[in-house]
Amino acid sequence: MIKNNKKLMPLPPKHILSKSTFMYGCQCPKRLWLHKYKPALRDAMDEAQQAVFQQGTDVGKLAEQLFPGGVDARPKDSFSYQQSVADTAKYIANGHEVIYEAAFQYEGMLCAVDILVKQNDQWYAYEVKSTTSVKAQHITDAAFQYYVITHAGLELADFSIIHLNNQYIRKGDLNIQELFAVSSVLENILLEQDFIHEQGESLKEMLQKKTDMPQVEVGDHCNKPYPCDFQGFCFKGIETDEPDYGEPYINQTAIQAFLAQIEYPIYHIDFESWSAAVPEYDGHWPYRQVCFQYSVHVERTPGAEPEHYVYLATGTHSSSLEFLESLLNVLGDAGTILVYNKSFEAIRLKELMHEHPQHTEAVEKVLDRLLDLMQPFRKDYRLPEMEDSYSIKYVLPALVPELSYNDLTIGNGGDASTAFYQLKNTIDPDDVERTRKALLEYCKMDTWAMVKLLGVLRGINV
Ligand code: SF4
């Protein structure tokens, strides 16, 4: 029956601009042109980007449960959007009141809105975002959809962004109503309608010149609002002037004052964490940084060989109580606790304290003992080799060149987080073992680097 309908229904011609390509064009006309005519020049997507993309899709599917029982107008593949437009029209005509991925087309511009709902004879559009608030680019994106939908002939009573609610803490089954927050953006998108019209016309005209790549210099726009995926092509061969990072500067008085605060035993600590848009376990909220690993090097007395302690959760459940109690046990109750870039670990400790109030006193004592090893490298110990950065990834090679993250399988916190999170999908025990070994080596390196850097500040070779 439906098959026959599809055959009879005339499909609109293929679109010129979709919502995504319109947004590319707003960021940079050259990006849009390359996407359309030179897609092979695109940078490969790395694992972290793929995970973010998948996360967005998962959040979108979940939000559909806010309006259950709808019909799905999703295309079966990326060549079937015009069928989606026809299906949407058919669903509307047939009296369906909830349509997922409802597609519309107007003068070569196509959009698919995540959820379209009819209530009291009026239509409401909802676009789902996996962020915890409405961002400026969401308004332009929604304004494009509003323009296309209303010009295609469907009047909208309101247009809202559904985003994650960062105040929601999971307890038991996922509460979809509380997980999401809904914000109307109609007022803002009405203000952008003229811009959408003009920009749409100008981008369509630009795309008519198939052999005429727009000349756009690289700049800040290459990463705003999203990193462009043609950077490999555009940045290739661009000569950059050797920056001048100034003269070495070492303020001995300030460094001695910093060192004077340190008391034995000295604990060097570092945490690793993972996060997910949708809270997966009790006590988690959207994007909670869940600590799954720590490394601690302890210098008990001057000159003593540093001891090493480590914790690595066995599964992605990452029991926060197990992590906290193991850590408190290692940190004892006296001595300075050094951390590189204190705010991350301090915030995680406060979150763990609120979650496990029975350990409030112990965590407060730990917080009082924290000292930021990054502090002297901000302004009192500066070398040109640090390239104006005080990140440990720059400070370490400048001061301790024999230590390097480059030789490690996992070389930064983002990769550590992705590697741990993906363990739950890893079946082969050898792969699991390899990843866990790489995680242990990476985190150990972070605190060993701190031992070495403290040695540099003290003028001794550890
Ligand atoms: S890398 Fe920059 S200049 Fe090149 S297409 Fe992307 S945004 Fe435009």
mmCIF file of all heavy atoms in Angstrom, residues 422-444:
data_model
loop_
_atom_site.group_PDB
_atom_site.id
_atom_site.type_symbol
_atom_site.label_atom_id
_atom_site.label_comp_id
_atom_site.label_asym_id
_atom_site.label_seq_id
_atom_site.Cartn_x
_atom_site.Cartn_y
_atom_site.Cartn_z
ATOM 1 N N GLN A 422 35.929 2.692 26.082
ATOM 2 C CA GLN A 422 35.675 1.664 25.068
ATOM 3 C C GLN A 422 35.987 0.252 25.546
ATOM 4 O O GLN A 422 35.676 -0.718 24.862
ATOM 5 C CB GLN A 422 36.459 1.989 23.795
ATOM 6 C CG GLN A 422 35.781 3.139 23.053
ATOM 7 C CD GLN A 422 36.521 3.569 21.820
ATOM 8 O OE1 GLN A 422 37.620 3.105 21.552
ATOM 9 N NE2 GLN A 422 35.928 4.472 21.075
ATOM 10 N N LEU A 423 36.572 0.152 26.735
ATOM 11 C CA LEU A 423 36.854 -1.189 27.264
ATOM 12 C C LEU A 423 35.583 -2.015 27.409
ATOM 13 O O LEU A 423 35.600 -3.232 27.287
ATOM 14 C CB LEU A 423 37.536 -1.081 28.633
ATOM 15 C CG LEU A 423 39.046 -0.882 28.637
ATOM 16 C CD1 LEU A 423 39.549 -0.775 30.062
ATOM 17 C CD2 LEU A 423 39.745 -2.034 27.918
ATOM 18 N N LYS A 424 34.461 -1.323 27.653
ATOM 19 C CA LYS A 424 33.227 -2.093 27.876
ATOM 20 C C LYS A 424 32.753 -2.786 26.595
ATOM 21 O O LYS A 424 31.959 -3.700 26.646
ATOM 22 C CB LYS A 424 32.129 -1.229 28.478
ATOM 23 C CG LYS A 424 31.575 -0.159 27.585
ATOM 24 C CD LYS A 424 30.421 0.510 28.303
ATOM 25 C CE LYS A 424 29.879 1.652 27.480
ATOM 26 N NZ LYS A 424 28.784 2.322 28.139
ATOM 27 N N ASN A 425 33.257 -2.312 25.441
ATOM 28 C CA ASN A 425 32.906 -2.974 24.179
ATOM 29 C C ASN A 425 34.024 -3.883 23.677
ATOM 30 O O ASN A 425 33.973 -4.388 22.577
ATOM 31 C CB ASN A 425 32.626 -1.922 23.091
ATOM 32 C CG ASN A 425 31.523 -0.987 23.507
ATOM 33 O OD1 ASN A 425 30.552 -1.422 24.098
ATOM 34 N ND2 ASN A 425 31.677 0.295 23.215
ATOM 35 N N THR A 426 35.080 -4.029 24.490
ATOM 36 C CA THR A 426 36.223 -4.839 24.059
ATOM 37 C C THR A 426 36.056 -6.259 24.585
ATOM 38 O O THR A 426 35.928 -6.462 25.795
ATOM 39 C CB THR A 426 37.538 -4.217 24.598
ATOM 40 O OG1 THR A 426 37.527 -2.830 24.288
ATOM 41 C CG2 THR A 426 38.758 -4.869 23.984
ATOM 42 N N ILE A 427 36.044 -7.205 23.682
ATOM 43 C CA ILE A 427 35.771 -8.591 24.088
ATOM 44 C C ILE A 427 37.063 -9.371 24.321
ATOM 45 O O ILE A 427 37.207 -10.067 25.319
ATOM 46 C CB ILE A 427 34.906 -9.297 23.013
ATOM 47 C CG1 ILE A 427 33.558 -8.558 22.927
ATOM 48 C CG2 ILE A 427 34.669 -10.767 23.357
ATOM 49 C CD1 ILE A 427 32.822 -8.744 21.640
ATOM 50 N N ASP A 428 38.030 -9.186 23.418
ATOM 51 C CA ASP A 428 39.270 -9.957 23.498
ATOM 52 C C ASP A 428 40.055 -9.598 24.778
ATOM 53 O O ASP A 428 40.460 -8.450 24.955
ATOM 54 C CB ASP A 428 40.112 -9.629 22.243
ATOM 55 C CG ASP A 428 41.363 -10.490 22.168
ATOM 56 O OD1 ASP A 428 41.798 -11.006 23.217
ATOM 57 O OD2 ASP A 428 41.906 -10.632 21.049
ATOM 58 N N PRO A 429 40.279 -10.589 25.669
ATOM 59 C CA PRO A 429 40.989 -10.294 26.934
ATOM 60 C C PRO A 429 42.390 -9.723 26.700
ATOM 61 O O PRO A 429 42.872 -8.925 27.502
ATOM 62 C CB PRO A 429 41.053 -11.643 27.651
ATOM 63 C CG PRO A 429 40.310 -12.621 26.817
ATOM 64 C CD PRO A 429 39.883 -11.992 25.555
ATOM 65 N N ASP A 430 43.037 -10.122 25.594
ATOM 66 C CA ASP A 430 44.384 -9.577 25.319
ATOM 67 C C ASP A 430 44.314 -8.083 25.016
ATOM 68 O O ASP A 430 45.160 -7.300 25.446
ATOM 69 C CB ASP A 430 45.025 -10.294 24.120
ATOM 70 C CG ASP A 430 45.409 -11.715 24.479
ATOM 71 O OD1 ASP A 430 45.445 -12.016 25.693
ATOM 72 O OD2 ASP A 430 45.638 -12.520 23.554
ATOM 73 N N ASP A 431 43.251 -7.679 24.273
ATOM 74 C CA ASP A 431 43.069 -6.251 23.971
ATOM 75 C C ASP A 431 42.803 -5.475 25.258
ATOM 76 O O ASP A 431 43.308 -4.371 25.455
ATOM 77 C CB ASP A 431 41.892 -6.045 22.998
ATOM 78 C CG ASP A 431 42.247 -6.498 21.594
ATOM 79 O OD1 ASP A 431 43.454 -6.676 21.326
ATOM 80 O OD2 ASP A 431 41.315 -6.691 20.788
ATOM 81 N N VAL A 432 41.979 -6.075 26.126
ATOM 82 C CA VAL A 432 41.660 -5.412 27.401
ATOM 83 C C VAL A 432 42.956 -5.215 28.182
ATOM 84 O O VAL A 432 43.240 -4.124 28.699
ATOM 85 C CB VAL A 432 40.648 -6.269 28.223
ATOM 86 C CG1 VAL A 432 40.482 -5.711 29.629
ATOM 87 C CG2 VAL A 432 39.304 -6.345 27.503
ATOM 88 N N GLU A 433 43.769 -6.261 28.236
ATOM 89 C CA GLU A 433 45.014 -6.213 29.001
ATOM 90 C C GLU A 433 45.955 -5.157 28.436
ATOM 91 O O GLU A 433 46.579 -4.400 29.175
ATOM 92 C CB GLU A 433 45.666 -7.612 28.947
ATOM 93 C CG GLU A 433 46.469 -7.986 30.177
ATOM 94 C CD GLU A 433 45.948 -7.403 31.470
ATOM 95 O OE1 GLU A 433 44.777 -7.664 31.817
ATOM 96 O OE2 GLU A 433 46.710 -6.656 32.137
ATOM 97 N N ARG A 434 46.030 -5.101 27.106
ATOM 98 C CA ARG A 434 46.913 -4.119 26.442
ATOM 99 C C ARG A 434 46.480 -2.693 26.784
ATOM 100 O O ARG A 434 47.288 -1.841 27.119
ATOM 101 C CB ARG A 434 46.846 -4.315 24.922
ATOM 102 C CG ARG A 434 48.144 -4.829 24.306
ATOM 103 C CD ARG A 434 48.144 -4.717 22.793
ATOM 104 N NE ARG A 434 47.006 -5.362 22.164
ATOM 105 C CZ ARG A 434 46.942 -6.661 21.909
ATOM 106 N NH1 ARG A 434 47.952 -7.447 22.214
ATOM 107 N NH2 ARG A 434 45.875 -7.192 21.344
ATOM 108 N N THR A 435 45.156 -2.460 26.724
ATOM 109 C CA THR A 435 44.654 -1.103 27.011
ATOM 110 C C THR A 435 44.906 -0.738 28.472
ATOM 111 O O THR A 435 45.346 0.374 28.779
ATOM 112 C CB THR A 435 43.142 -1.027 26.702
ATOM 113 O OG1 THR A 435 42.955 -1.364 25.344
ATOM 114 C CG2 THR A 435 42.590 0.360 26.952
ATOM 115 N N ARG A 436 44.651 -1.680 29.362
ATOM 116 C CA ARG A 436 44.849 -1.376 30.789
ATOM 117 C C ARG A 436 46.336 -1.084 31.079
ATOM 118 O O ARG A 436 46.660 -0.196 31.853
ATOM 119 C CB ARG A 436 44.334 -2.538 31.659
ATOM 120 C CG ARG A 436 42.817 -2.664 31.625
ATOM 121 C CD ARG A 436 42.327 -3.814 32.485
ATOM 122 N NE ARG A 436 42.625 -3.628 33.895
ATOM 123 C CZ ARG A 436 41.881 -2.931 34.741
ATOM 124 N NH1 ARG A 436 40.775 -2.363 34.320
ATOM 125 N NH2 ARG A 436 42.232 -2.794 36.009
ATOM 126 N N LYS A 437 47.203 -1.816 30.422
ATOM 127 C CA LYS A 437 48.651 -1.603 30.613
ATOM 128 C C LYS A 437 49.024 -0.189 30.122
ATOM 129 O O LYS A 437 49.753 0.543 30.790
ATOM 130 C CB LYS A 437 49.422 -2.672 29.824
ATOM 131 C CG LYS A 437 50.872 -2.762 30.162
ATOM 132 C CD LYS A 437 51.450 -4.100 29.662
ATOM 133 C CE LYS A 437 52.961 -4.054 29.658
ATOM 134 N NZ LYS A 437 53.557 -3.549 28.438
ATOM 135 N N ALA A 438 48.470 0.179 28.960
ATOM 136 C CA ALA A 438 48.774 1.503 28.386
ATOM 137 C C ALA A 438 48.230 2.614 29.295
ATOM 138 O O ALA A 438 48.880 3.651 29.482
ATOM 139 C CB ALA A 438 48.170 1.613 26.994
ATOM 140 N N LEU A 439 47.053 2.383 29.877
ATOM 141 C CA LEU A 439 46.474 3.385 30.790
ATOM 142 C C LEU A 439 47.354 3.545 32.031
ATOM 143 O O LEU A 439 47.605 4.661 32.486
ATOM 144 C CB LEU A 439 45.060 2.950 31.213
ATOM 145 C CG LEU A 439 43.960 3.153 30.172
ATOM 146 C CD1 LEU A 439 42.696 2.376 30.547
ATOM 147 C CD2 LEU A 439 43.623 4.635 30.037
ATOM 148 N N LEU A 440 47.810 2.425 32.555
ATOM 149 C CA LEU A 440 48.651 2.480 33.760
ATOM 150 C C LEU A 440 49.951 3.217 33.464
ATOM 151 O O LEU A 440 50.403 4.046 34.253
ATOM 152 C CB LEU A 440 48.933 1.062 34.281
ATOM 153 C CG LEU A 440 47.713 0.357 34.891
ATOM 154 C CD1 LEU A 440 47.978 -1.126 35.093
ATOM 155 C CD2 LEU A 440 47.312 1.014 36.214
ATOM 156 N N GLU A 441 50.531 2.952 32.302
ATOM 157 C CA GLU A 441 51.798 3.610 31.939
ATOM 158 C C GLU A 441 51.601 5.116 31.782
ATOM 159 O O GLU A 441 52.418 5.901 32.234
ATOM 160 C CB GLU A 441 52.329 3.040 30.614
ATOM 161 C CG GLU A 441 53.074 1.742 30.794
ATOM 162 C CD GLU A 441 53.439 1.093 29.465
ATOM 163 O OE1 GLU A 441 53.112 1.681 28.409
ATOM 164 O OE2 GLU A 441 54.029 0.007 29.502
ATOM 165 N N TYR A 442 50.477 5.499 31.141
ATOM 166 C CA TYR A 442 50.231 6.929 30.898
ATOM 167 C C TYR A 442 50.067 7.695 32.214
ATOM 168 O O TYR A 442 50.694 8.725 32.445
ATOM 169 C CB TYR A 442 48.994 7.112 30.004
ATOM 170 C CG TYR A 442 48.532 8.541 29.996
ATOM 171 C CD1 TYR A 442 49.311 9.530 29.396
ATOM 172 C CD2 TYR A 442 47.355 8.922 30.641
ATOM 173 C CE1 TYR A 442 48.923 10.855 29.427
ATOM 174 C CE2 TYR A 442 46.967 10.246 30.677
ATOM 175 C CZ TYR A 442 47.751 11.211 30.071
ATOM 176 O OH TYR A 442 47.374 12.522 30.123
ATOM 177 N N CYS A 443 49.211 7.178 33.086
ATOM 178 C CA CYS A 443 48.919 7.911 34.324
ATOM 179 C C CYS A 443 50.151 7.947 35.235
ATOM 180 O O CYS A 443 50.436 8.943 35.885
ATOM 181 C CB CYS A 443 47.718 7.256 35.018
ATOM 182 S SG CYS A 443 46.936 8.295 36.248
ATOM 183 N N LYS A 444 50.919 6.844 35.224
ATOM 184 C CA LYS A 444 52.153 6.794 36.025
ATOM 185 C C LYS A 444 53.127 7.868 35.541
ATOM 186 O O LYS A 444 53.800 8.526 36.327
ATOM 187 C CB LYS A 444 52.785 5.401 35.895
ATOM 188 C CG LYS A 444 54.033 5.204 36.726
ATOM 189 C CD LYS A 444 54.554 3.794 36.568
ATOM 190 C CE LYS A 444 55.787 3.586 37.440
ATOM 191 N NZ LYS A 444 56.361 2.246 37.258
#
